Amino acid sequence: MKTEISLQFLNGISRLRIRKCTLIESSPQMKHTDVREEDNASTVTQFLLLEFSDLPKLQSFLFGVFSIMYLIVLIANSFIIMITKLDPALQKPMYFFLLNFSFLEICYVSVILPRILYSIWTQDRNISLLACATQMCFFLMLAATESILLAVMSYDRYVAICNPLHYPLVMNPRKCRQLAAGSWLGGMPFQVGQTCQIFSLHFCNSNQIDHFFCDIPPVLKLACGDTSVNEMYVYVVAILLAAIPFILILTSYSKIITTILRLPTAEGRAKAFSTCSSHLVVVVLFFASASITYLMPKSTHSAVSDKFLSIFYTIVTPMFNPMIYCLRNKEVIAALRRLLLRK
């Protein structure tokens, strides 16, 4: 009796196995695809930043160049912060915003360059998903801050040149602090939301980012499925945090130029234009390179062009900005002379 029950039980198990195998074999492609997508989506816990790995013989040279550039950014911008704090003649709204801008440049470059130097020195290009998201989030927030702050600085120049009698009243210390705080905090919710949206995607194409930091275009290339919604969000944020500030800057400078041309003497026109020419140069450098990177369709992006443009507006421009402000600003040069003579 026990033998017959055991045989019936074994026969039942055999039939269930045969049926299960038949179901799997009937749709092998679908089953394999589902497992493969699930595995890829779940195993990408870190990325590989390719950076400049295609130039193996230039690693030492690149380390030296980037180290020098980072030191220049730190020293030059720290110098501007120091001189605007110490010199009584520079205790003006214009230089208060310049102080904020210099501190921003130090933070902006420090999000990217130390990681590059570490990767070149150790040849460890791995970066975790969380570290990549954090780098992207801080980079985007600081880029938004720079865009808004440049618009605020153009508004300051507009009030100073077009309404000089009302300038001390309009740009009082409280108003300056509010504008600076708005610049630092204005883009934060949008960029945090954008970062969360991008890193909620599944990354199954690859884990290799062909860039030297976690920027939006190369990260989106690794995402599975349709990313058109994410690209649209990038354009919307770019319009809010880049296009609108740029339009405000153009409006301010159109009125500034009109006012300058109406001044009766050439000396007055030259003096008025010298106070805003350096800022105008910085605006052109920043917005030109950033707009090409973020407003171009994803299909037109190439790794080489993305890297070149990114180096330009993330490292080269912050390195030259202090020089532009110092060399083209007579008040800063005079403050430097007073500081050197005092010492």
Side-chain angles (χ1 to χ4, degrees):
M1 184 67 177
K2 291 181 178 180
T3 305
E4 291 177 0
I5 292 172
S6 299
L7 288 172
Q8 289 176 2
F9 180 72
L10 291 172
N11 288 332
I13 291 174
S14 299
R15 283 195 296 272
L16 286 172
R17 287 178 176 174
I18 292 169
R19 186 177 297 175
K20 184 177 180 181
C21 290
T22 304
L23 288 171
I24 292 173
E25 289 174 1
S26 65
S27 58
Q29 186 175 0
M30 181 182 69
K31 189 75 177 178
H32 177 70
T33 303
D34 291 344
V35 172
R36 185 177 178 182
E37 288 182 358
E38 184 180 353
D39 289 345
N40 281 335
S42 61
T43 54
V44 177
T45 57
Q46 65 177 8
F47 293 110
L48 181 68
L49 287 167
L50 296 182
E51 296 179 349
F52 308 99
S53 57
D54 54 337
L55 303 170
K57 296 182 179 179
L58 296 177
Q59 296 299 297
S60 299
F61 173 76
L62 290 173
F63 182 84
V65 169
F66 285 130
S67 297
I68 293 170
M69 294 172 83
Y70 191 39
L71 285 174
I72 291 173
V73 171
L74 292 177
I75 294 171
N77 284 285
S78 297
F79 167 76
I80 288 182
I81 293 171
M82 179 188 69
I83 199 170
T84 51
K85 292 288 287 184
L86 294 178
D87 197 289
L90 300 183
Q91 304 304 307
K92 301 176 182 178
M94 175 182 176
Y95 298 104
F96 170 77
F97 294 123
L98 181 58
L99 183 151
N100 276 267
F101 187 75
S102 296
F103 180 68
L104 171 65
E105 295 287 60
I106 292 174
C107 297
Y108 189 63
V109 175
S110 297
V111 170
I112 298 170
L113 259 180
R115 174 73 204 185
I116 296 175
L117 295 174
Y118 170 80
S119 300
I120 295 176
W121 182 262
T122 63
Q123 292 299 302
D124 180 12
R125 297 186 176 88
N126 292 310
I127 183 169
S128 68
L129 201 69
L130 178 61
C132 188
T134 303
Q135 185 186 53
M136 179 184 288
C137 186
F138 275 98
F139 169 75
L140 294 176
M141 287 192 298
L142 293 170
T145 300
E146 181 159 352
S147 177
I148 299 171
L149 187 58
L150 287 172
V152 169
M153 294 170 76
S154 69
Y155 173 71
D156 170 73
R157 292 297 84 208
Y158 160 74
V159 178
I161 294 172
C162 299
N163 297 290
L165 297 178
H166 296 93
Y167 183 67
L169 182 64
V170 175
M171 301 303 292
N172 57 72
R174 182 181 177 184
K175 182 73 170 290
C176 292
R177 287 193 295 269
Q178 289 174 344
L179 289 171
S183 301
W184 284 95
L185 302 176
M188 190 177 295
F190 299 98
Q191 302 296 23
V192 170
Q194 182 164 239
T195 305
C196 292
Q197 186 188 48
I198 290 173
F199 282 89
S200 64
L201 297 170
H202 292 304
F203 299 98
C204 58
N205 293 332
S206 173
N207 72 328
Q208 296 184 353
I209 300 176
D210 196 1
H211 212 336
F212 57 87
F213 73 102
C214 292
D215 200 5
I216 293 176
V219 171
L220 277 181
K221 285 182 180 180
L222 307 183
C224 306
D226 185 19
T227 60
S228 58
V229 175
N230 301 88
E231 291 181 49
M232 184 60 66
Y233 191 79
V234 172
Y235 291 132
V236 171
V237 173
I239 290 171
L240 289 173
L241 301 179
I244 292 177
F246 186 64
I247 291 171
L248 294 175
I249 291 170
L250 290 180
T251 304
S252 297
Y253 272 102
S254 64
K255 295 183 178 181
I256 288 171
I257 292 171
T258 303
T259 303
I260 290 174
L261 293 176
R262 289 175 181 171
L263 293 176
T265 63
E267 184 181 353
R269 289 193 293 269
K271 184 178 179 181
F273 188 73
S274 67
T275 63
C276 57
S277 58
S278 55
H279 176 257
L280 191 58
V281 172
V282 172
V283 166
V284 172
L285 290 174
F286 176 77
F287 281 99
S289 55
S291 60
I292 293 173
T293 302
Y294 291 100
L295 296 180
M296 285 172 59
K298 189 176 76 169
S299 57
T300 61
H301 282 272
S302 68
V304 176
S305 63
D306 281 352
K307 287 179 184 179
F308 176 77
L309 286 170
S310 297
I311 287 175
F312 188 78
Y313 75 84
T314 59
I315 302 173
V316 176
T317 302
M319 183 179 67
F320 283 112
N321 284 347
M323 302 176 193
I324 293 170
Y325 276 109
C326 290
L327 295 176
R328 298 185 65 86
N329 192 303
K330 293 181 180 180
E331 288 185 321
V332 174
I333 294 173
L336 175 61
R337 287 175 181 169
R338 286 192 294 270
L339 182 65
L340 294 175
L341 289 173
R342 189 185 308 169
K343 290 187 175 182

